[in-house]
Amino acid sequence: MIAELQCVVLDCPDPLLLAEFYRSLLGGRVNQVDRRWAVDDDWATLHTAAGTVLAFQRVTDHRPPRWPDPERPQQFHLDFGVPDLAAAEQEVMAAGATVLDDGAGTDRPWRIYADPAGHPFCLVKHGAGPS
C-alpha cells in the first residue's frame, strides 16, 4: 500500500452549499475540525456518519459535467446504496438534486441525478451492485 484515501474532493461554485447537500444524503458533520486541512469560503468538508470524508473546493467559472455529453464528461461519479429508490429520490430532490436519468421504461436498479453543482451521482437499490 502506498497511500490512504483522505477524502474525495469535488469542484464546485459553492463549497458550503454542496457540503450541506451531501450531509442531507449521508449524515455526518459539515466542517468538523480536522488537523489535515482548514476550512474557509473556498473549502468545505463533510465527515460522513460512515467515516468517509468528502471535500468541496470552490472553482471560479466551474463548468459542471453534462451527462452523458462527451464534450463535458462526468469524470467520476458517486454511487449511494438505498433500500427504496422512490423514497430516496424524493429526499434527494427535496435536498436540491435534479434527475438526469430516472430509468423510465427499464427495470434497472439505479437512477442518475446531479447534485446542485452538476456532479452526477447514482442511487442504487441495496444489493444491486455499482452503476
Side-chain angles (χ1 to χ4, degrees):
M1 181 173 92
I2 294 173
E4 290 182 358
L5 180 65
Q6 287 190 357
C7 63
V8 175
V9 182
L10 286 82
D11 291 350
C12 61
D14 187 335
L16 188 56
L17 176 78
L18 207 54
E20 290 291 350
F21 171 80
Y22 280 103
R23 185 200 50 75
S24 74
L25 270 68
L26 303 171
R29 295 188 54 177
V30 170
N31 289 342
Q32 175 178 309
V33 175
D34 190 312
R35 65 176 173 72
R36 296 174 289 184
W37 45 70
V39 296
D40 58 26
D41 289 342
D42 294 326
W43 181 268
T45 61
L46 172 64
H47 287 71
T48 70
T52 303
V53 179
L54 298 177
F56 309 93
Q57 173 177 266
R58 184 182 311 278
V59 173
T60 305
D61 298 325
H62 176 256
R63 293 187 57 202
R66 286 195 185 137
W67 183 90
D69 183 354
E71 293 298 315
R72 288 182 43 195
Q74 69 179 343
Q75 300 171 21
F76 81 96
H77 73 271
L78 302 169
D79 283 354
F80 301 108
V82 298
D84 181 322
L85 281 172
E89 177 174 296
Q90 288 180 350
E91 292 182 54
V92 299
M93 298 295 289
T98 56
V99 176
L100 296 178
D101 183 347
D102 65 4
T106 73
D107 61 352
R108 69 172 199 232
W110 73 86
R111 297 176 185 168
I112 306 165
Y113 305 86
D115 68 23
H119 301 294
F121 69 93
C122 295
L123 297 179
V124 182
K125 184 159 178 61
H126 279 303
S131 60

